[in-house]
Amino acid sequence: MAANMRGLTQFIADIRGARVRELEEKRINKEMANIRKKFKAWCSCHAADGNLDGYQKKKYVAKIIFTYILGYKVDVGHMEAVNLISSSKYSEKQIGYLAVTLLMHENSDFLRLVVNSIRKDLDENNEVSNCLALHAIANVGSSEMAEALSEDVHRLLISPTSQTFVKKKAALTLLRLYRKHPTVIPAAEWALRLVSIMDDQDLGVVICVTSLIMALAQDHLDAYAVCYTKAVDRLHRLVIEGEYSATYAYYKVPSPWLQVKLLRLLQYYSPSEDATLRSVLHEVLQTIMNNSAEPSRNVQHNNAQHAVLFEAISLAIHLDASSPLVGTSAVLLARFISSKETNVRYLGLDTMAHLAARADSLEPLKKHQGTIILSLRDKDISVRRRALDLLYSMCDTDNSELIVGELLRYLKVADYALREEMVLKIAILTEKYANSYKWYVDTILQLISAAGDHVGDEVWYRVVQIVTNTEDLQEYAAKVVFEHLKSPSTHESLVKVGGYILGEYGHLIANDAGYSPLEQFQVLHSKSQFCVASTRSLLLSTYIKWVNVFPEIKPQLINIFERYRHVLDAELQQRACEFYSLASRPDDDEVLQNVCEEMPPFPPRVSALIGRLNRKLGDTEDKRTWIHGGKEMNLERHANSRKATLGPGSSATGTTTVTGNTDAQDVMSSLAGLNLSSPGEQSDPSRVDSSVVAPRVAVGPSVEKWFNKLIYSTDGVLYEDVQIQIGVKSRYQGHLGQLAIYLGNKISVPLTSFTSTIHVNDSEALSATFAKIPPNLLVPRTQSQQLLHVECKKAFSSFPILTVSFLAGAHQSVSIRLPISVTKFIEGVKLGQADFFERWKVIGGPPREAQAVFPITLDGTGQLDLVRYRQVVSGNHLEILGDVDPNPNNLVAAGVLHTSVDGKVGCLLRLEPNREAKLCRLTVRSTSEDVAAEVLRLIEKLLRLDSS
Amino acid sequence: MIHAVLIFNTSGIPRLTKFYTPLHQSSQTLIQKIFSLISIRPAGLCNFLDAPELEAFLGPKDGSDERWRVVYRNYATLYFVFVVDGAESELGILDLIQVFVEGLDRHFENVCELDLVFHFDEAHHILAEIIQGGLVLETNGDEISNSGL
């Protein structure tokens, strides 16, 4: 296009021809002045349709864009760009949009002017206009636009008539709007509909939608839980089935971007409990690892393969850090960190740091400690940085002295850009993994003297805190700091530490040779002249403390106060005056003693160092799934973030505030902000999750009838409407059962994005999982069968809920209860009369007996409907005992409930219908009161049904 | 997320600049900064670079491990540079650069620096088909070149 605008080509050629920067600037200024004049003329006679036609506007705006790309600031042309957008000519519209996306940013005032044009283009029945508009929103969308346009964008994304390229753009645009203004997007409400697009035929659409879902799911884990299955299924199809169009293979690797995204998405969820999903996922990860076993010669192919591999390893670590897969990964990583390729070394170290952050045992990594330490001297700073992170993560009490020593040695030659961070990390490691206080003090003081300028105030504050709170340490610390101060050049931070520690604890060493009060004073005061005012005032405080404990040097000290009374600095002067008069009081005065009381221990608090390292996480940005540091740090952070997403309601369970342990032995760890009580709360949030969202169940008279029938029979229809039919066939043995669910498509178009999920209220009592991931397509007028495995672990009282959703034009979803009751896991037992009554008596009355009296109807002839009663009771898997009760109308039955966790539970039943009163008495006795109540409830409901 | 896509030549003159995050300072100084970081790195070093220096331009990253990362690749006289955050896979971005270059190559039939100069709008349109709002939109070469350019 640029080629057919002569003026523009000329302009570009001129600029290229400019030999020096000044000429280039001159040419640009001339052009801008010209354009400004033209636009001004155009504005003034705008009413008369101006003398500037679309072509000219386009040309000038194009010149402005070119100037902008060269890095010059441009301040004209915004209005004209806005104008071009509403042009009917594509080329003009396109340049207009390009200018808007390049020249404006989200806070630009001009954007208000384009909202309406953009909306018009979104609503237009022309995909090209739709795309231009979407692209503009995705680049400059603000929260204002989110309010105005998110509905339109969402419509383009889900509309069945949208072309794939519109859908792709719409998905990413929606993501942009969500990031700008999360509250306008009803994320939870749209969840199922959006997740269903992950089944799209077109991989391009899938990539975009996965990006969107990844962002939404991080904030709404539960609402988007379905995407877990979808992601696993998609990976399976890509990696194992090889089901993708050839154009999406990048150097023979099926869309590495999508694979990476999916693998990353799975890391936001805690590992699935579902056995089927787990095994499929395992297979996928295994295949990915095998695929990259032999490196190929093509660079691009290798890159793509490694991209997927590294993410797969991260996922494997996330799923279970001690699985054999992770063992394999560790071997691979070990190979990578000594690879010849710098990229591979870099990523190998990065991923190894993830492993170190999660693994239970660091042993496999320690084998490579030597290589990693060598990487600190790699020729590439990027690699050096990763090695530093890794060493930080893999440090523990066993290797702390080695690693910290190595880091200290490296600190002296490290890049300036790295030093500050290194200092922080060394300080944290030293504190956290110190084996002895002595080592701690030695190392920290060495650190301060080696890297003075890079030591933040937090570091020396921390030393003071720890020394003050640890009595055993004080004498030693005083000696060491004194030795450090003796060296001719000392850093100011060290002077501060020295001032504080000698002031407080100098008297502890004053009797040893070489540490006399006078020597202490001379050493410390000799540094004073090189220090800034704040340090000097700290030293003055030290001196007043000494006045109290070292009367022998009082004259010298008073002399100093005397001199400082005349300095210009207000703070110093005030201190000097106050201290002077305090020191000049008579010797028996107690004020001085009281003022100079020894410092009490600091209250235990979170280390400011870690706080500085871990700043707050952003709101809608993609979060990291792990941080550098040991396992506990990750656990703690995880607990914190879970708490944050669960909201204030759960704060009662969290005890992340630091435990108030002031025991001197424990000072180290409690000060470091470690929370040892965190493992207990790990299991908590996950349990809250599963009960949060129970889908709304479909109701209707026939649904109720079908459902009740299935409670006492093995197969039948569960649900039916104009589009689908759901039927069930079931088989139970002991505590296990298998349901075949038949899903029938009754209409003549395929149902796509078919998703079925099972929601179990109490997953500790009942588990229900599909034998394999259900297919996502239902061909017209056919039926598909899905096997569901159920296991009864304990007695339960609520039914699992099956939710199926699909696209048939619009997105629909149906939730129905599955007829899986606790009685399905009962097996009947034959008992004689004597046996029965003996057990009946042993169990006894309430609470292990449940009883109800309720009305029943009679059959057509006015008789008791005994056949039906028998059907219901035996349908609930209880064995009817013929010769126990003398009254032939009464029913007596017995059975044993099988559960895998709680074992077997006996259950006896007696049903006494009365024809005259049209009432019936039902009694259930069981060794478990829960079971008795539940069996009674189920059977009563079925029998009472007739009367209602 | 991808925060910026830059192409500049070996003398540091920008040929394509696209920011997906508002800048705190002039883009020229940012490009010079990145150029000074990259141009001193000899071939054979890795294609990734942590760049805490960029905080001044793009704002601080939250979280300790969140850092601006620069992923770059050198083709003849041009540097292709992506500025990304921790949510992107480094190698994935490297692959994406390759896709971008192949896309340009296909469109301009053996792309050279001059094509980017005289057809800057087309280069932007191709980029727009690959990345939108800082996220990967399309990676399929056919789709990219078919999208109405």
Side-chain angles (χ1 to χ4, degrees), chain A residues 516-562:
Chain A
S516 74
L518 191 63
E519 280 161 302
Q520 289 190 31
F521 167 71
Q522 279 165 347
V523 164
L524 197 58
H525 193 62
S526 67
K527 308 289 176 198
S528 167
Q529 51 183 322
F530 307 110
C531 295
V532 296
S534 64
T535 312
R536 290 192 195 191
S537 41
L538 190 147
L539 290 182
L540 286 185
S541 301
T542 306
Y543 299 156
I544 190 70
K545 290 175 194 165
W546 279 346
V547 171
N548 184 31
V549 292
F550 298 151
E552 56 267 51
I553 54 169
K554 191 168 168 184
Q556 287 97 319
L557 296 170
I558 289 187
N559 184 21
I560 290 173
F561 293 141
E562 165 76 41

Side-chain angles (χ1 to χ4, degrees), chain B residues 21 44 56 60 67 70 81 88 90 94 105 109 129 136 140 143:
Chain B
T21 323
R67 263 196 227 102
V70 173
V81 181
E88 295 292 335
E90 285 91 345
L94 213 52
D105 221 29
E109 283 160 21
E129 288 307 320
V136 181
N140 175 346
E143 284 284 327

Side-chain angles (χ1 to χ4, degrees), chain A residues 305-369:
Chain A
Q305 199 128 60
H306 280 126
V308 178
L309 175 65
F310 281 114
E311 208 58 51
I313 293 178
S314 279
L315 178 60
I317 295 169
H318 172 79
L319 291 179
D320 179 4
S322 45
S323 65
L325 266 185
V326 175
T328 320
S329 326
V331 175
L332 282 175
L333 290 177
R335 183 151 23 107
F336 291 154
I337 60 168
S338 43
S339 158
K340 261 191 231 120
E341 277 234 33
T342 323
N343 284 350
V344 173
R345 279 204 306 277
Y346 171 97
L347 290 166
L349 289 167
D350 194 36
T351 313
M352 223 180 219
H354 183 189
L355 183 57
R358 283 293 175 78
D360 296 316
S361 153
L362 292 170
E363 285 317 313
L365 294 185
K366 284 187 191 158
K367 275 189 267 170
H368 312 293
Q369 202 161 287

Side-chain angles (χ1 to χ4, degrees), chain A residues 1 168 251 342-343 382 613, chain B residues 44 47-48 64 102 121 138:
Chain A
M1 184 247 11
K168 284 185 295 196
Y251 291 92
T342 323
N343 284 350
S382 299
L613 213 54
Chain B
N47 301 81
F48 323 120
S64 64
E102 285 176 14
D121 52 334
E138 182 56 78

Side-chain angles (χ1 to χ4, degrees), chain A residues 4-277:
Chain A
N4 51 36
M5 287 191 286
R6 230 164 47 84
L8 175 63
T9 319
Q10 187 56 49
F11 174 57
I12 297 175
D14 283 356
I15 289 179
R16 276 181 49 75
R19 283 179 317 269
V20 284
R21 177 112 186 142
E22 285 72 41
L23 288 176
E24 183 181 305
E25 268 171 34
K26 210 168 142 198
R27 177 71 183 89
I28 283 173
N29 287 338
K30 188 178 144 209
E31 191 65 39
M32 287 298 125
N34 179 37
I35 292 175
R36 222 171 269 132
K37 206 169 78 201
K38 288 278 190 300
F39 283 163
K40 211 165 169 192
W42 169 67
C43 278
S44 55
C45 46
H46 186 51
D49 203 16
N51 56 356
L52 218 56
D53 58 16
Y55 166 77
Q56 278 173 308
K57 259 189 275 175
K58 182 176 81 175
K59 185 178 74 185
Y60 291 132
V61 170
K63 284 181 182 174
I64 292 171
I65 296 175
F66 184 76
T67 311
Y68 166 82
I69 291 176
L70 287 180
Y72 289 90
K73 246 188 141 66
V74 291
D75 50 4
V76 286
H78 296 83
M79 204 51 222
E80 287 66 27
V82 170
N83 239 289
L84 281 174
I85 285 183
S86 40
S87 161
S88 55
K89 274 200 196 124
Y90 174 70
S91 68
E92 290 170 17
K93 205 188 214 17
Q94 199 188 20
I95 280 284
Y97 269 116
L98 182 60
V100 165
T101 53
L102 284 175
L103 304 183
M104 300 182 190
H105 55 89
E106 54 186 289
N107 305 320
S108 211
D109 287 335
F110 289 100
L111 281 185
R112 298 221 174 89
L113 303 172
V114 289
V115 171
N116 276 328
S117 315
I118 290 181
R119 192 204 303 277
K120 218 176 118 232
D121 282 336
L122 280 182
D123 293 344
E124 207 166 308
N125 213 355
N126 171 354
E127 284 97 6
V128 176
S129 301
N130 294 162
C131 282
L132 284 174
L134 286 171
H135 188 250
I137 306 173
N139 278 289
V140 293
S142 55
S143 55
E144 217 167 296
M145 279 200 187
E147 269 166 29
L149 302 171
S150 61
E151 283 291 338
D152 296 287
V153 175
H154 179 241
R155 184 176 44 74
L156 283 176
L157 173 61
I158 63 167
S159 158
T161 54
S162 285
Q163 297 276 336
T164 53
F165 60 90
V166 178
K167 278 196 214 167
K168 284 185 295 196
K169 289 203 155 84
L172 292 186
T173 308
L174 203 57
L175 172 55
R176 160 81 182 205
L177 296 181
Y178 176 72
R179 290 214 159 121
K180 287 297 154 197
H181 200 339
T183 48
V184 257
I185 311 279
E189 198 179 303
W190 289 352
L192 280 180
R193 182 64 187 89
L194 293 180
V195 173
S196 73
I197 310 177
M198 281 175 81
D199 282 328
D200 202 285
Q201 299 286 313
D202 186 280
L203 281 189
V205 175
V206 179
I207 295 181
C208 296
V209 164
T210 308
S211 296
L212 172 64
I213 285 176
M214 192 147 101
L216 294 172
Q218 285 171 58
D219 300 332
H220 307 86
L221 281 177
D222 298 321
Y224 283 83
V226 191
C227 72
Y228 200 93
T229 320
K230 295 276 176 214
V232 175
D233 182 39
R234 177 64 74 177
L235 280 170
H236 182 254
R237 282 192 278 158
L238 284 177
V239 178
I240 295 176
E241 309 276 324
E243 189 189 314
Y244 55 91
S245 82
T247 47
Y248 277 96
Y250 171 86
Y251 291 92
K252 293 192 213 135
V253 181
S255 187
W257 299 276
L258 180 57
Q259 289 194 52
V260 166
K261 279 238 144 66
L262 294 170
L263 292 167
R264 178 67 66 92
L265 175 63
L266 294 177
Q267 291 174 56
Y268 289 114
Y269 283 90
S270 37
S272 169
E273 305 270 306
D274 190 308
T276 317
L277 286 182

Side-chain angles (χ1 to χ4, degrees), chain A residues 1-3 9 12-13 16 21 62 65-66 68-71 90 94 98 101-102 106 134-135 138-139 168-169 172-173 175-176 179 204 207-208 247-248 250-251 256-257 260 264 300 303-304 306-307 310-311 342-343 346-347 350 379-382 385-386 421 613-618 621-622 624 626-628, chain B residues 1 3 13-20 22 27-28 41 44-53 55 60-67 69 73 85-96 98-99 102 114 117-122 124-125 128-129 131-133 135-143 148:
Chain A
M1 184 247 11
T9 319
I12 297 175
R16 276 181 49 75
R21 177 112 186 142
I65 296 175
F66 184 76
Y68 166 82
I69 291 176
L70 287 180
Y90 174 70
Q94 199 188 20
L98 182 60
T101 53
L102 284 175
E106 54 186 289
L134 286 171
H135 188 250
N139 278 289
K168 284 185 295 196
K169 289 203 155 84
L172 292 186
T173 308
L175 172 55
R176 160 81 182 205
R179 290 214 159 121
I207 295 181
C208 296
T247 47
Y248 277 96
Y250 171 86
Y251 291 92
W257 299 276
V260 166
R264 178 67 66 92
Q300 321 295 359
N303 267 349
H306 280 126
F310 281 114
E311 208 58 51
T342 323
N343 284 350
Y346 171 97
L347 290 166
D350 194 36
K379 60 180 190 282
D380 188 340
I381 181 174
S382 299
R385 280 205 166 99
R386 292 290 84 82
E421 190 186 329
L613 213 54
N614 299 337
R615 274 173 287 167
K616 210 181 118 264
L617 281 168
E621 295 262 323
D622 284 334
R624 277 186 77 102
W626 58 280
I627 53 170
H628 289 293
Chain B
M1 187 181 147
H3 293 266
I13 298 169
R15 289 307 178 201
L16 179 142
T17 53
K18 175 74 199 161
F19 297 97
Y20 298 99
S27 63
Q28 246 175 343
R41 290 169 64 82
L45 297 195
C46 71
N47 301 81
F48 323 120
L49 185 67
D50 281 17
E53 296 91 344
E55 290 199 357
K61 281 308 281 164
D62 293 327
S64 64
D65 292 332
E66 283 299 332
R67 263 196 227 102
R69 290 189 183 178
R73 221 166 168 170
D85 59 26
E88 295 292 335
S89 147
E90 285 91 345
L91 283 174
I93 294 296
L94 213 52
D95 295 341
L96 200 62
Q98 178 70 17
V99 168
E102 285 176 14
L114 278 188
V117 176
F118 282 99
H119 305 277
F120 61 90
D121 52 334
E122 291 165 45
H124 268 282
H125 295 321
E129 288 307 320
I131 298 166
Q132 177 179 292
L135 290 156
V136 181
L137 178 70
E138 182 56 78
T139 57
N140 175 346
D142 297 343
E143 284 284 327

